[in-house]
Amino acid sequence: MKKLSLVSLLVFLVVMAILPHLLDTRWQTVAVTFLVFSVVALSQDIVLGKAGMFNMGQAMFFGMGAYVTAILNSHFGWPIVATVPVAIVAPVLLGIVLAAPIVHLRGDYLLVVTIGFNIVFVQVLINNLGGVTGGPNGIFGIDPLRLFGFELSSQVAIYYYAFAVLLLTLAIMINLDKSKVGRALHYLREDPLAAESIGINTRLYKIFAFGLGAGIAGLAGSVFATQYSAVSPEAFEFIQSVLFFSIVLVGGSSIPGVLIGVFVMFVLPEIFREFSTWRFFVFGFAMILTMILRPRGIWPATFGKIPKFLIKEPKNGG
């Protein structure tokens, strides 16, 4: 299975490297958005798939990264490249602050709270906080990214920028899976009580997952703002969080699974654009089919449970 996953990933990378030269302008835009959404979905996988927390607010961190880049560039004249670190750090800090008081919640309770956060975030944007978010119309006229004297203004150039961000995200995900932190998150997802019994600080790892996922989503948001040269609240509404949540559930908690999920939940509706009014039906039907036929997703990660010898059994009378 691992060899198959590696081969599939390599084939995917080769195809994606040559893809923009085979597409017209419209489909180049779709391809860039596919890459951006893949990065956000992978960030969602850290929280939902690896840590097992029902987060339905990932679009908030995605939007925060986009708005940080837009505000710093349009209102303060920062070059886009200088806004990227802030677009990562700001969502990380927000993720940590929001996660700290709620990580003890589980299941539906956590789901509802994160939905509330996302709704509040969008309302803050609409109400033009500090006069810098642009209200319902958002912010327009964002400068293109300039690197090493080159202006990345064409869709092909932006595509390779987004592709580089995806490669960076994939490297983070692969190393996370192999690390002690990744194993701890897996144990946390499978059985929080058992994870605590072997000395894992579940609260700390949950906050870490929220922070890391928020930072990666913020980076994707910065790319998104650069791609469209504009941001508006409607791009980060609750339905976008539903999309990212659905992608992980349908595709499965693995790199190939997430990428397949983005294709099924985003690219296929673009292919059948004339049926776009059925988008919510597709979401629901795909999730129902997945839960029945593939409850762990189309391409789930293969992990075992916590080894029994690691679990400390309570002593009699203890």
Side-chain angles (χ1 to χ4, degrees), residues 92-275:
V92 168
L93 295 177
L94 179 64
I96 292 173
V97 169
L98 294 182
I102 66 169
V103 290
H104 65 283
L105 300 175
R106 296 181 183 178
D108 297 344
Y109 298 101
L110 182 60
L111 197 72
V112 171
V113 171
T114 53
I115 290 173
F117 285 153
N118 203 145
I119 293 173
V120 170
F121 172 74
V122 172
Q123 290 304 309
V124 167
L125 298 180
I126 292 174
N127 287 287
N128 197 16
L129 178 66
V132 296
T133 65
N137 294 324
I139 300 173
F140 296 86
I142 301 170
D143 294 335
L145 176 68
R146 292 179 176 85
L147 284 175
F148 310 112
F150 296 97
E151 182 177 286
L152 307 183
S153 55
S154 70
Q155 283 300 311
V156 173
I158 296 172
Y159 175 93
Y160 284 115
Y161 171 46
F163 187 52
V165 171
L166 176 61
L167 291 179
L168 174 63
T169 305
L170 292 176
I172 293 172
M173 298 295 290
I174 291 171
N175 282 281
L176 180 63
D177 283 340
K178 296 179 178 179
S179 69
K180 177 182 177 181
V181 174
R183 291 192 297 271
L185 290 176
H186 161 61
Y187 293 162
L188 172 62
R189 180 193 67 187
E190 291 297 321
D191 193 330
L193 293 178
E196 289 181 356
S197 75
I198 58 175
I200 293 175
N201 187 331
T202 56
R203 175 182 170 81
L204 180 62
Y205 279 103
K206 285 179 179 180
I207 294 174
F208 170 82
F210 253 94
L212 180 59
I216 294 174
L219 174 58
S222 179
V223 178
F224 183 83
T226 304
Q227 176 191 1
Y228 289 100
S229 299
V231 292
S232 61
E234 64 182 13
F236 312 107
E237 291 180 343
F238 165 62
I239 186 59
Q240 284 299 109
S241 287
V242 174
L243 172 63
F244 301 134
F245 191 90
S246 303
I247 284 170
V248 177
L249 287 185
V250 171
S253 179
S254 67
I255 290 174
V258 170
L259 298 177
I260 291 171
V262 178
F263 181 83
V264 170
M265 303 302 289
F266 170 69
V267 178
L268 284 184
E270 287 294 327
I271 294 175
F272 300 102
R273 195 179 183 90
E274 61 270 27
F275 303 109

Side-chain angles (χ1 to χ4, degrees), residues 36 40 57-73 80 82-95 121 125 139 142 161 213-227 230-232 236:
V36 173
V40 185
Q58 202 65 8
M60 171 179 59
F61 302 118
F62 179 45
M64 187 174 187
Y67 266 87
V68 164
T69 287
I71 291 169
L72 292 178
N73 175 253
I80 294 296
T83 70
V84 174
V86 187
I88 296 172
V89 173
V92 168
L93 295 177
L94 179 64
F121 172 74
L125 298 180
I139 300 173
I142 301 170
Y161 171 46
I216 294 174
L219 174 58
S222 179
V223 178
F224 183 83
T226 304
Q227 176 191 1
V231 292
S232 61
F236 312 107

